[in-house]
Amino acid sequence: MTTVLGIETSCDETAAAVVDGGFNVRSNAVYTQVARHARYGGVVPEIASRAHLEVLPDIVEGALRDAGADWGDLNGVAVTKGPGLATSLLVGLTCGRAVAYRLGIPCLGVHHIEAHIHALYLSPDVAPPEDGGPLMVLLVSGGHTELIEVDGLRSYRTLGRTTDDAAGEALDKGASLLGLGYPGGPAIEKTAADGDPNAVRFPRGDVRSDSKTGALHPEYCFSFSGVKTALLYHLREHPLDPGDDQRRSDLAASYQEAVVDSLIRKLERALDDYPDHRVACAGGVGRNRRLRERLEAVAEARGRHLILTDPAYCTDNAAMIAGLGGVLLERGENAPADGIRPSWAVGGEDRDEG
Ligand code: KG4
Ligand code: ZN
């Protein structure tokens, strides 16, 4: 069985983990850089890469210590190769390659979004897709929103994606408009808890067939720019009194409802067309309780098996990197850590690189 050290530095989390056999998480160390970026209202790439450089060695040692493992126990290292912030990816890749070189073991470069999907199988009771049949995965993170059909290891087909903002990005921008700070998703969820989701009806972002969906079915594609603009205009017309906590909660709840409802509608449409698929949700926004409730209701109403990522592995972490790396290593897959790929598309070519 392989023991793999995973390293994740694609954005504002500095993470390292040790995973056995691709699925058994022995440690999962995460340093979140939120405090370093908060005053700027979002992630500052140069601050992120410097912070990775500063804290990664301690995080790696912490992951080994928590796992009760020695350097000599490792059979491989897995690093996030992309997509993500270039200078941040470089720190993790370089560290992983140096460790692997020193130990004389392979270093694997893995896809961050594929790893978010692998996070589904880190829960002990979840079978990998080869064993359980095809999955319809709603992948919702800060940079990506996609409907992905998963048939097995590295067998992915993107059926739909956002034509503008990602769901997490929409929540982050909404939170900023409401004065809730960064990161916005958890702040909106917390504020929404005391609010009325029906207080304001925000648009659900339908994508028309003449939009930029390429070969993808518009009915499976998402759009979140409208909901964000609607909140902006609403606040211009009805400015929010800083002390009006109830209205802020109502707006957060209505906004969250619009984002979640847009996701659910597209997912339902895809499930109608793929009657045998199980349903799954992965990525940072997959932590959201309202989204999880709605997913449970959708799966129950249609009699579909539902897999939700364990909340501990929804947002960026290295257990998902080490896990996927371990499976790739055991199956002898080609996953070179030969360089970073900041714009690596899911299961394919880079979106804006040569
Ligand atoms: O997957 P992730 O950690 O990083 C990327 O790969 O982008 O996702 C980060 C996103 C952020 O937009 C954050 O606001 C959102 O996930 N998020 C949430 C929650 N926790 C994190 N959104 C809604 N509710 C949450 N509880
Ligand atoms: Zn992520």
Side-chain angles (χ1 to χ4, degrees):
M1 187 200 283
T2 55
T3 298
V4 171
L5 169 70
I7 294 175
E8 155 61 39
T9 61
S10 67
C11 193
D12 56 345
E13 250 82 47
T14 313
V18 175
V19 174
D20 279 350
F23 302 101
N24 180 21
V25 182
R26 286 175 58 181
S27 67
N28 185 28
V30 183
Y31 168 75
T32 175
Q33 300 180 6
V34 165
R36 298 185 187 223
H37 301 281
R39 84 172 89 150
Y40 305 101
V43 180
V44 183
E46 280 317 304
I47 293 176
S49 63
R50 281 182 210 177
H52 289 307
L53 201 55
E54 192 186 312
V55 306
L56 185 56
D58 279 350
I59 294 296
V60 167
E61 285 187 2
L64 283 169
R65 205 173 38 244
D66 294 349
D70 289 324
W71 294 106
D73 298 335
L74 300 176
N75 308 109
V77 180
V79 299
T80 306
K81 185 173 164 179
L85 301 170
T87 50
S88 289
L89 289 166
L90 265 178
V91 175
L93 183 97
T94 310
C95 170
R97 284 180 53 164
V99 168
Y101 183 85
R102 173 73 185 79
L103 297 172
I105 57 177
C107 184
L108 297 96
V110 311
H111 194 296
H112 181 84
I113 300 298
E114 259 186 85
H116 269 301
I117 294 171
H118 187 83
L120 288 165
Y121 319 124
L122 295 177
S123 304
D125 52 335
V126 178
E130 289 92 337
D131 304 341
L135 277 176
M136 181 66 67
V137 179
L138 177 65
L139 189 291
V140 273
S141 71
H144 289 73
T145 295
E146 302 201 4
L147 269 177
I148 305 173
E149 184 187 30
V150 179
D151 259 333
L153 182 72
R154 297 192 133 178
S155 176
Y156 305 102
R157 192 160 67 102
T158 295
L159 300 178
R161 70 163 62 95
T162 180
T163 54
D164 40 58
D165 292 344
E169 204 175 350
L171 291 168
D172 292 340
K173 287 178 178 171
S176 156
L177 290 171
L178 291 170
L180 299 175
Y182 140 91
I188 291 229
E189 174 167 24
K190 189 158 171 260
T191 311
D194 306 318
D196 173 7
N198 302 312
V200 180
R201 170 92 192 171
F202 289 117
R204 264 53 174 168
D206 279 328
V207 177
R208 290 196 316 273
S209 49
D210 56 0
S211 309
K212 241 183 73 188
T213 58
L216 301 175
H217 197 327
E219 297 270 353
Y220 304 155
C221 289
F222 308 87
S223 168
F224 295 103
S225 59
V227 65
K228 178 194 63 190
T229 309
L231 176 61
L232 178 72
Y233 287 167
H234 181 91
L235 288 170
R236 270 192 201 155
E237 272 172 40
H238 316 279
L240 186 58
D241 174 352
D244 195 345
D245 291 341
Q246 188 55 51
R247 222 186 118 221
R248 184 178 290 102
S249 291
D250 288 346
L251 286 171
S254 302
Y255 190 82
Q256 172 179 266
E257 196 63 21
V259 171
V260 168
D261 200 35
S262 306
L263 294 169
I264 293 292
R265 284 169 176 227
K266 302 304 175 131
L267 174 68
E268 285 185 310
R269 175 59 214 260
L271 290 176
D272 284 344
D273 296 344
Y274 292 84
D276 300 327
H277 287 38
R278 297 179 294 158
V279 198
C281 181
V285 182
R287 238 183 135 119
N288 185 273
R289 283 191 301 271
R290 179 64 185 141
L291 177 59
R292 292 171 87 91
E293 264 172 34
R294 293 286 307 270
L295 288 164
E296 275 162 10
V298 164
E300 199 184 319
R302 282 156 203 266
R304 306 288 180 98
H305 184 76
L306 172 70
I307 307 174
L308 294 173
T309 310
D310 184 321
Y313 308 124
C314 281
T315 46
D316 288 349
N317 65 85
M320 65 186 195
I321 306 298
L324 177 58
V327 172
L328 296 175
L329 187 63
E330 287 185 4
R331 301 193 187 181
E333 294 268 332
N334 183 31
D338 51 352
I340 57 164
R341 291 183 71 176
S343 310
W344 201 0
V346 182
E349 297 303 310
D350 294 352
R351 247 181 253 167
D352 53 10
E353 289 184 323

